[in-house]
Amino acid sequence: MAAAKEELQKSVMTLTEPSLVEPDVLERVLSSSLRHGGDFAEVFVEDRTTTGIALDDRRVEELSSGHDRGAGIRVVVGDTTGFAHTSDLSEAGLAAAAEAAAAVARQGGGGVRRVALELTTVRSPNEVLVLPSEVPKGTKVELLLRADDVARSKSNSIVQVSAGYGDTRRRIQVANSDGLLTGDDRVRTRFSVVCVASGDTGMQTGYETAALTVGFELFEQRSVEEVADEAARRAVTKLTARPAPAGVVPIVLRRGSGGMLFHEACGHGLEADHIVKDSSVFTGRIGEQVASPLVTLVDDGTAGPNWGSLAIDDEGHPAQRNVLIENGVLVDYMWDALSARKKRRASSGNGRRESYQDLPMVRMTNTFLLPGSEDPDEIVAATPRGVYIAHLGGGQVNTATGDFVFGMTEAYLIENGRITEPLRDANLIGNGPDVLGKIDAVANDFDMSPGTCGKDGQSVPVGCGQPTLRITGVTIGGTAGA
Amino acid sequence: MPELIDLARAVAEQADSAAGEAVEAYVSRGRETSIRVYGGEIEQLASAESAGIGVRVVRDRRQGFAWVGALDDQGAREALAAARDNAAYATLDEHAGLARPDGVAPAELDLWREELAFLPTESKVELALDLERRVRAGDPRIRQVVSSDYADAMSESAIATSTGLASSSRRSTCYLFVYAIAGEGDETQTGFGYSVGRSSDDLDVETCSADAVERATRMLGARKPRSSHLTVVLDRRVTATVLGVLASTLSGEEVSKGRSLFAGRLGEEVGSSQLNLVDDPTDVRALGATAVDAEGLATRRNELIAGGSLLGYLYDSHAARVAGTKSTGSAVRGGYRTTPGVGARAVSLLPGTLSQEEIVKEVGDGLLVQSITGVHSGVNPVSGDFSVGAEGLIIKGGELAEPVREMTIASTLQRMLQHVRHVGSDLEWLPGSAAGLTLAIDDVSVAGE
């Protein structure tokens, strides 16, 4: 890490680097966007470079690199949004997109509106020490080969390993008709390993990933050996797993990946676009007890280098820490600019989009439950019978009913207060408000984990976290008697 | 605008053949409109053009790839240079290479409706508004229409390789989608409807709205059922989703990498004798239809399971070389940003003779599954473990009875195939890579109370 300081200089420099599009061009494009009328116009400019390397079947199959550059322009008239995007960042290209986006402002009578931009800079929640673009490709390839070796040496039963490395640098610029001009330079790095183990009862898989909003220094915090070892251990453990129970049982969720459950169980239902349209079970419940008093839920885009961190959201609003549920009482929802405008309040910095080709909407950043006071081991010890979930995979929620599902990818039986046999993969199903009320123990430990959140066809990186906790009853979708 | 195929050829021609280098260029361009209405007004109207180029280079039996989200010479040069550089870092692979002409002529498929490009925006908005109105008027218990969407895309792509392949294709697609909430007292249930086609004439607003209304309202009063083992009747949409997962396990690439539960089982009986599974991208009724695959080879009809016996797997050219066989024209790619991989495009079960109503009657007691959730997290294509969230209606005495929700259905893919009791006659092509029909499966675990 000798070059670390130099790299830091470089990444700080980028904030003052020449803009992707010159401010005077943005001013003219915004002014012309509102030529036919309209209440608000915005130009979102993005330049994204990515590197991806895939290892599978003992081989580095390919290294791929990509470059996307373009702008999305939206014009808001009353409750209507017009949107167009272009990969042509010349003034003519932007003007054509502005014209298309402004097509919704048909009522005319707009007249001249001059937009003057004022630059705002926002500090990143974390520093990027080593820009991945400065790291030789061969060094990145080496990581994958090492992961393959480590995973295969873990056990003879490991029959297949695939691993992926990815880095992204996303420079954005946001300008709008309120005069805002700001930007961000986000670097994300991830590494993941999937193992297949084979035994007498068939094959099982294990997955583990490390992903942070940092540069190549990710691997100082989390070694590839650790990631590979964890994936292999998970697959091998399940070879002796028995079918999960079918029915309602108490569960103890280990710290970390269980945070995804709260992302689904209530996070999505607290997104203001669902609230504004009355399509969330949490609509109209501010100030009410919606969860056990042990629950304090926070969404925090400034939470250090976590996967969902950002300096500004994709509408140019600074990321912030928002307490959503405090001691079980619903405090606030998450807001983007449009939903906030409808309720005449401020955005909470939750307007995000996958790329310049998409409209922003209300999204989570890093969502987590704050730790409590109990010893995690004692929570298990105080559970006579149940399921201990050490790792959760993906999930899905219906915000209108609150029903959600989740995949358990590493789970064990709890018998007489002890963690015993491993269980095969199964989904668990529950209802958000119901589960929030059934949390009866929260530990003093904590961990975060990275995830990808999909909504309305757009994927964004998010962080999730939680302390070890117990839910008194959740339906496990296995095949054995509960 | 230059022809896409010329752009692709110009890149492929730069291959340094003397040095044994092979180059493939995949170029695509799309024009899209998407409209969302809410409360009788346009909420969002987006129009966009996007284009890009993906370049694959194979040199010294190593592959590199790069893409650029632009269609100009500079972008193409940038991508080719990066792909060449990237190739040096791949592990040597004796099977690396591009597809080569195999003598199979692409089918003539008509997937383009010029008129869609000229449909005025007002007409598209009116379709979405009409859909929203119909759903609101469909039942007094419809409390909210969260979104009513119209979207269309005119997509063109071309592929050229220095190994002698060159082809271009184009398609038009459009859809309507509506998401409705029904309510009674404190209770809320949801349902959605959709209609998909190649031009707006194919769109069926009536069925789309009726579907959303029926699916939302019939779930009102739903309770969590008791845990049990029973026969489940999968609705068409559910079957299509399950077939999509099943097809992914029949990828020749996954098989050779030891990640398929069907590896080494060719010729064996893997399911009920009623099961006949085909992937046929040349069937124009399929929304995934295409005459040319993602490597430039002609697509073809591939029989995968016949009479319950496993007949074959799907291959792209790389997986075929590894397995010592020929490509089945099954290369797919997610646009210019990705390299080709193996995938199904148009999977269907050959239909049986009974309608859904007849199947429900014959089953007598069981569960009609209207929708499933958590497929990504709950179905493991390697182990075959199957566990998904479900909602639907209890079947009692051969009739549909009370609605149930917040439950899971679980089994393994292997067992489910063996326990297929009926294959319905109601084949319908749905969005995605598979067709739906009603499917009855015995002995599935239901977890509830």
Side-chain angles (χ1 to χ4, degrees), chain B residues 370-411:
Chain B
Q370 160 171 316
S371 69
I372 56 176
T373 53
V375 175
H376 180 67
S377 59
V379 186
N380 188 323
V382 177
S383 67
D385 285 334
F386 183 99
S387 164
V388 297
E391 55 182 42
L393 301 163
I394 293 289
I395 301 171
K396 219 180 269 170
E399 304 284 339
L400 295 180
E402 72 272 16
V404 282
R405 56 171 268 274
E406 207 192 327
M407 60 183 165
T408 59
I409 55 173
S411 180

Side-chain angles (χ1 to χ4, degrees), chain A residues 48 50 55-69 79-87 100-101 103-104 106 136-138 141 145 159-162 194 196 203-205 238 245-248 274 276-281 342 355-357 359-360 393-396 398-401 403-409 424-431 434 456 474-480, chain B residues 36-38 41-51 56 63-70 78 82-83 85-87 89-93 122 143-147 149 179 181 188-190 224 227 229 253-254 256-261 318 322 336-337 339 372-380 382-391 405-412 415 445-449:
Chain A
R48 183 199 300 246
T50 64
L55 173 139
D56 199 1
D57 202 19
R58 294 185 185 272
R59 288 184 295 107
V60 174
E61 290 194 326
E62 84 196 6
L63 197 152
S64 68
S65 42
H67 187 187
D68 263 323
R69 195 180 164 94
D79 287 335
T80 301
T81 299
F83 180 71
H85 63 77
T86 176
S87 60
V104 293
R106 282 170 299 198
K137 290 174 180 175
V141 164
L145 296 169
V159 292
Q160 192 55 279
V161 177
S162 57
V194 185
V196 179
M203 290 184 287
Q204 289 293 340
T205 55
K238 281 189 283 188
V248 180
H274 298 301
V276 169
K277 286 191 174 180
D278 192 13
S279 62
S280 163
V281 282
K342 282 185 187 146
S355 81
Y356 74 88
Q357 303 187 353
L359 270 168
Q396 197 178 332
N398 179 332
T399 57
T401 61
D403 288 352
F404 66 86
V405 289
F406 246 94
M408 310 189 298
T409 49
R424 292 182 72 129
D425 290 354
N427 259 329
L428 56 87
I429 189 161
N431 180 268
D434 178 53
D456 227 355
V474 171
T475 303
I476 306 268
T479 54
Chain B
R36 169 164 293 177
V37 303
Y38 176 68
E41 301 282 341
I42 302 173
E43 183 179 342
Q44 292 175 4
L45 194 164
S47 61
E49 283 205 27
S50 53
R56 200 152 60 116
Q63 172 172 305
F65 179 70
W67 51 267
V68 171
E78 188 187 324
D85 187 50
N86 290 344
Y89 295 94
T91 309
L92 187 135
D93 173 9
E122 290 72 28
R143 190 176 271 173
Q144 178 70 296
V145 180
V146 179
S147 58
D149 298 349
Y179 179 48
I181 296 182
T188 294
Q189 295 296 341
T190 61
K224 193 170 175 141
S227 300
H229 283 265
E253 181 180 345
E254 296 305 299
S256 70
K257 287 177 175 171
R259 270 198 300 263
S260 168
L261 53 101
H318 182 264
V322 170
Y336 61 83
R337 291 188 180 90
T339 49
I372 56 176
T373 53
V375 175
H376 180 67
S377 59
V379 186
N380 188 323
V382 177
S383 67
D385 285 334
F386 183 99
S387 164
V388 297
E391 55 182 42
R405 56 171 268 274
E406 207 192 327
M407 60 183 165
T408 59
I409 55 173
S411 180
T412 63
R415 267 211 321 267
S445 299
V446 173
E449 291 294 350

Side-chain angles (χ1 to χ4, degrees), chain A residues 311-332:
Chain A
I312 55 169
D313 71 4
D314 298 322
E315 300 180 305
H317 193 283
Q320 60 189 51
R321 182 178 194 271
N322 298 297
V323 177
L324 305 173
I325 296 174
E326 191 163 22
N327 302 325
V329 176
L330 182 58
V331 178
D332 199 2

Side-chain angles (χ1 to χ4, degrees), chain A residues 146-229:
Chain A
R146 250 160 57 204
D148 187 55
D149 281 346
V150 170
R152 288 181 191 272
S153 67
K154 175 91 181 168
S155 158
N156 286 335
S157 60
I158 298 289
V159 292
Q160 192 55 279
V161 177
S162 57
Y165 165 89
D167 62 55
T168 308
R169 181 172 184 190
R170 187 180 185 223
R171 287 187 297 148
I172 64 168
Q173 196 180 9
V174 188
N176 68 32
S177 55
D178 297 337
L180 176 76
L181 172 63
T182 185
D184 194 3
D185 184 352
R186 294 176 204 156
V187 175
R188 289 192 161 90
T189 306
R190 65 171 173 80
F191 190 81
S192 62
V193 178
V194 185
C195 292
V196 179
S198 182
D200 299 340
T201 53
M203 290 184 287
Q204 289 293 340
T205 55
Y207 174 80
E208 178 63 8
T209 186
L212 290 173
T213 305
V214 299
F216 205 70
E217 69 272 21
L218 168 70
F219 301 102
E220 302 219 316
Q221 307 194 23
R222 196 88 200 277
S223 73
V224 297
E225 284 80 4
E226 228 176 278
V227 176
D229 191 76

Side-chain angles (χ1 to χ4, degrees), chain B residues 23-230:
Chain B
V23 174
E24 170 198 81
Y26 174 88
V27 185
S28 70
R29 180 165 62 207
R31 208 164 64 232
E32 294 168 20
T33 310
S34 68
I35 294 161
R36 169 164 293 177
V37 303
Y38 176 68
E41 301 282 341
I42 302 173
E43 183 179 342
Q44 292 175 4
L45 194 164
S47 61
E49 283 205 27
S50 53
I53 179 165
V55 179
R56 200 152 60 116
V57 169
V58 180
R59 190 168 180 151
D60 301 328
R61 287 178 288 164
R62 297 170 206 267
Q63 172 172 305
F65 179 70
W67 51 267
V68 171
L71 269 195
D72 49 34
D73 288 342
Q74 193 204 328
R77 274 199 303 275
E78 188 187 324
L80 178 60
R84 275 181 171 147
D85 187 50
N86 290 344
Y89 295 94
T91 309
L92 187 135
D93 173 9
E94 57 174 317
H95 302 294
L98 305 177
R100 292 177 178 280
D102 65 356
V104 180
E108 298 271 338
L109 306 182
D110 181 17
L111 310 172
W112 178 266
R113 303 283 180 276
E114 192 78 26
E115 67 266 26
L116 187 61
F118 299 105
L119 187 67
T121 304
E122 290 72 28
S123 308
K124 300 175 184 181
V125 171
E126 185 44 46
L127 276 167
L129 288 171
D130 183 32
L131 177 60
E132 188 192 38
R133 275 193 303 267
R134 283 173 192 250
V135 174
R136 283 193 190 276
D139 191 293
R141 294 168 296 171
I142 294 293
R143 190 176 271 173
Q144 178 70 296
V145 180
V146 179
S147 58
S148 174
D149 298 349
Y150 167 92
D152 62 37
M154 309 291 291
S155 326
E156 300 169 81
S157 65
I159 186 165
T161 69
S162 58
T163 55
L165 290 167
S167 63
S168 52
S169 57
R170 55 184 195 167
R171 66 173 63 221
S172 59
T173 50
C174 56
Y175 70 81
L176 286 169
F177 180 88
V178 67
Y179 179 48
I181 296 182
E184 233 171 4
D186 282 348
E187 195 198 351
T188 294
Q189 295 296 341
T190 61
F192 60 86
Y194 52 72
S195 177
V196 189
R198 299 197 194 283
S199 86
S200 60
D201 293 344
D202 300 334
L203 298 177
D204 182 351
V205 186
E206 177 74 50
T207 309
C208 178
S209 57
D211 252 13
V213 171
E214 190 193 358
R215 284 167 182 267
T217 54
R218 78 178 180 185
M219 288 309 297
L220 286 167
R223 292 184 187 285
K224 193 170 175 141
R226 291 211 160 281
S227 300
S228 60
H229 283 265
L230 41 74

Side-chain angles (χ1 to χ4, degrees), chain A residues 12 44 64 100 106 116 126 147 155 159 210 248-249 292-293 301 304 348 397 406 451:
Chain A
V12 171
F44 175 89
S64 68
R106 282 170 299 198
N126 63 299
S155 158
V159 292
V248 180
V249 297
S292 145
S348 59
V397 67
F406 246 94

